[in-house]
Amino acid sequence: MKIKLIDSVVRSFKVAKIFRENTDKINAIDFAPNGEHLISCSEDDQIVIYDCEKGTQSRTVNSKKYGVDLIHFTHANNTAIHSSTKVDDTIRYLSLHDNKYLRYFPGHTKKVISLCISPVEDSFLSGSLDKTLRLWDLRSPNCQGLMHLSGRPIAAYDPEGLIFAAGVNSESIKLYDLRSFDKGPFITFKLNQEKECDWTGLKFSRDGKTILISTNGSVIRLVDAFHGTPLQTFTGYPNNKGLAIEASFSPDSQFIFSGSTDGRVHIWNADTGNKISVLNGDHPGPVQCIQFNPKYMMLASACTNMAFWLPTSEEGP
């Protein structure tokens, strides 16, 4: 039976499993598109892969030499890309089953702060504090496209993988057509510049209609993906440490989930902006990573520990 996500089901989520594999904070998580696995990376230089169906940790890979951040599964089985936290700012393409690097992607001269993989092909985007956005093909170490921007860039693909959005300087969103990105953005949305914080993440909703902007403050913004109109502002969760706290959509685009520095998970209705619930998962530290499984009724949140959440209510539609 498929459970439909409604308010009562969302409120019923409880932690089903906690993993304490890491000795430092988890800095990024990513579900495989089929929902069967979750990958995480941590400031302790460990990459941990979880089996979501069994609720188990399936393996650990170390990246002691280069460090690891912004990890993402690629489309090929058992492979991932990640940014580096040591040595240099090269992006690395890793074979997970034998822990070997398949390719390096050099080019950025400062910390990479945004990394996203195309939903439809073997290409990816990276944004860096060097104020450039780079487009890459996994099959080539050479950058396929370079955009010089006026400030720190964050990026996201739309669900069809036809366009991408660049959030620049915490004040504008530029939309590019992937087939003609060298012509510049086809539209730019100017928003009020954040005064208290920086934009740290962009995500399109799965229906492609809205864009979610996460920050290192205590505000999340939702804008219309076609017109740039501000739709909602989600607040009321603590972030008193200036941390980049992830916000995510549910797969049906109806709910917004966020971590917080109080170790709890905050949930809002995307249409009304109303807060639905605050879930306590006994996270001892700030929850900076949170994502909903794209296929299964399951939520993952992470501080130094990883928590898997499942609904305890099964009310139908």
Side-chain angles (χ1 to χ4, degrees):
M1 167 187 150
K2 276 198 110 152
I3 310 172
K4 191 168 161 38
L5 262 189
I6 52 173
D7 290 7
S8 58
V9 172
V10 170
R11 287 192 190 102
S12 81
F13 269 81
K14 298 268 188 299
V15 173
K17 194 86 187 261
I18 294 181
F19 301 91
R20 298 180 175 86
E21 314 303 327
N22 295 102
T23 56
D24 207 335
K25 75 175 179 193
I26 294 167
N27 50 27
I29 65 174
D30 185 48
F31 279 104
N34 63 11
E36 288 169 14
H37 290 93
L38 174 72
I39 195 165
S40 73
C41 60
S42 162
E43 296 193 354
D44 64 11
D45 305 330
Q46 281 196 100
I47 297 164
V48 183
I49 301 143
Y50 300 90
D51 184 315
C52 298
E53 288 183 294
K54 296 184 183 138
T56 57
Q57 179 202 342
S58 52
R59 43 192 320 254
T60 300
V61 174
N62 284 309
S63 179
K64 295 286 180 207
K65 184 175 176 185
Y66 301 114
V68 55
D69 198 355
L70 302 176
I71 198 150
H72 286 275
F73 279 120
T74 57
H75 298 294
N77 216 358
N78 255 329
T79 57
I81 55 168
H82 67 79
S83 63
S84 314
T85 59
K86 304 173 191 175
V87 185
D88 59 21
D89 298 292
T90 296
I91 296 158
R92 302 176 198 279
Y93 181 26
L94 179 64
S95 167
L96 295 164
H97 72 91
D98 53 2
N99 194 12
K100 286 195 169 65
Y101 284 107
L102 302 171
R103 195 160 286 118
Y104 293 159
F105 303 94
H108 285 300
T109 56
K110 289 187 178 166
K111 181 182 164 82
V112 175
I113 55 168
S114 184
L115 195 58
C116 51
I117 203 130
S118 162
V120 294
E121 58 191 13
D122 285 330
S123 60
F124 66 94
L125 279 162
S126 59
S128 158
L129 292 178
D130 63 18
K131 299 183 182 175
T132 67
L133 203 55
R134 288 173 180 264
L135 188 61
W136 309 86
D137 186 311
L138 277 171
R139 294 161 297 197
S140 162
N142 304 318
C143 174
Q144 308 292 302
L146 176 61
M147 287 135 278
H148 290 275
L149 299 158
S150 60
R152 52 182 284 156
I154 49 172
Y157 286 92
D158 81 313
E160 270 79 54
L162 297 172
I163 65 169
F164 65 88
V168 183
N169 226 21
S170 307
E171 64 179 348
S172 62
I173 295 176
K174 297 172 183 290
L175 298 185
Y176 294 81
D177 186 321
L178 271 156
R179 290 157 304 189
S180 55
F181 63 85
D182 48 335
K183 294 191 173 75
F186 62 84
I187 193 162
T188 298
F189 308 137
K190 195 92 167 66
L191 297 149
N192 291 331
Q193 185 166 26
E194 299 295 339
K195 295 199 170 42
E196 309 287 318
C197 59
D198 299 311
W199 293 356
T200 51
L202 284 188
K203 289 182 186 178
F204 277 87
S205 57
R206 199 185 262 191
D207 60 16
K209 292 177 180 170
T210 58
I211 297 171
L212 189 65
I213 305 168
S214 49
T215 71
N216 58 8
S218 41
V219 61
I220 301 161
R221 303 200 184 278
L222 187 69
V223 300
D224 183 287
F226 301 107
H227 309 290
T229 322
L231 299 174
Q232 300 294 348
T233 299
F234 307 106
T235 56
Y237 64 97
N239 181 6
N240 49 22
K241 297 187 168 76
L243 298 175
I245 288 182
E246 184 171 29
S248 292
F249 289 99
S250 56
D252 63 5
S253 312
Q254 297 300 304
F255 296 95
I256 307 296
F257 297 81
S258 170
S260 66
T261 50
D262 68 3
R264 297 188 297 174
V265 170
H266 297 250
I267 308 168
W268 298 265
N269 181 302
D271 290 335
T272 64
N274 294 338
K275 185 167 263 192
I276 301 297
S277 189
V278 182
L279 303 176
N280 194 346
D282 294 325
H283 275 294
V287 176
Q288 277 186 259
C289 301
I290 185 157
Q291 287 181 26
F292 209 98
N293 188 306
K295 292 281 192 280
Y296 299 102
M297 186 66 86
M298 169 203 162
L299 181 70
S301 62
C303 60
T304 302
N305 301 339
M306 170 71 75
F308 285 6
W309 303 71
L310 296 171
T312 52
S313 155
E314 298 198 357
E315 292 175 37

